[in-house]
Amino acid sequence: MMPASSNAIMMTVKGGFIAFSLFAALILNMLPWSGFWLMLRPDFLALAVVYWCVYHPGRLGFGAMWALGLVMDVSDATLFGQHALAYIVLLYLVIHLHRRILMFGIKHQVAHLFGMLLVMQLIMLLVRKVAGADFPGVDYFMPSVTGALLWPLICRILQWPERRRPEPV
């Protein structure tokens, strides 16, 4: 997502806003979703992390991602380390591809994001399968689709505090 105009200058983002957005994404993940909405619920924390690592690389590290992944494991009552491993791999992919992602428009960014979210879900599925769980079905991959479709909205929301306000004339 590019700034409103090509010569617009974005303000630097404060660390407190990054922490707030990650906390809000964590809370959205922890809401008691059920039924059809649970099947569609994207991983909001993964989306926030991807945004911050694409548009502000170097602000989040592997230690923070590991800790956030463990918090998600505890909150979802899943196999301990499943989210942590998937988030670490996601962070590596985003760090490795962030310049490439920035070169493209929002439609191509959605395609990149879909692939990275799908890899993250495949890692979590592999960990579950190794632990002896059954295949949850094709619906298991719907959060990757909804997460990719929400990417333009997430970008707009997280870029809002960075936009410079027009100065009065």
Side-chain angles (χ1 to χ4, degrees):
M1 191 106 176
M2 299 305 286
S5 68
S6 61
N7 60 357
I9 298 174
M10 303 292 273
M11 297 187 311
T12 57
V13 67
K14 296 186 178 9
F17 181 71
I18 293 174
F20 172 76
S21 67
L22 292 175
F23 180 73
L26 189 63
I27 295 300
L28 282 171
N29 278 355
M30 290 182 184
L31 286 176
W33 302 80
S34 62
F36 178 73
W37 297 109
L38 178 63
M39 181 185 73
L40 291 179
R41 181 198 77 187
D43 191 337
F44 291 103
L45 186 57
L47 290 172
V49 164
V50 169
Y51 174 81
W52 292 120
C53 290
V54 166
Y55 287 96
H56 299 279
R59 297 298 296 261
L60 292 175
F62 288 100
M65 286 313 302
W66 184 260
L68 288 170
L70 293 179
V71 169
M72 277 304 301
D73 289 331
V74 171
S75 71
D76 275 356
T78 57
L79 188 62
F80 200 60
Q82 171 181 322
H83 281 90
L85 176 63
Y87 285 172
I88 291 293
V89 172
L90 177 68
L91 182 64
Y92 173 77
L93 288 173
V94 173
I95 289 171
H96 184 69
L97 296 173
H98 83 275
R99 288 187 182 178
R100 177 187 172 120
I101 294 169
L102 284 173
M103 289 186 340
F104 294 112
I106 196 71
K107 290 178 184 177
H108 294 305
Q109 287 181 14
V110 166
H112 276 84
L113 183 73
F114 172 71
M116 290 186 292
L117 292 175
L118 193 61
V119 166
M120 183 185 81
Q121 281 199 293
L122 285 170
I123 289 169
M124 289 193 292
L125 180 64
L126 180 65
V127 169
R128 289 177 64 176
K129 292 293 289 173
V130 167
D134 293 331
F135 180 69
V138 179
D139 294 343
Y140 177 77
F141 300 106
M142 282 304 295
S144 293
V145 174
T146 55
L149 292 176
L150 281 176
W151 180 246
L153 179 64
I154 297 292
C155 287
R156 291 295 265 189
I157 291 170
L158 293 178
Q159 283 179 351
W160 178 73
E162 298 176 73
R163 297 208 183 276
R164 286 200 186 272
R165 309 302 184 269
E167 295 186 20
V169 178

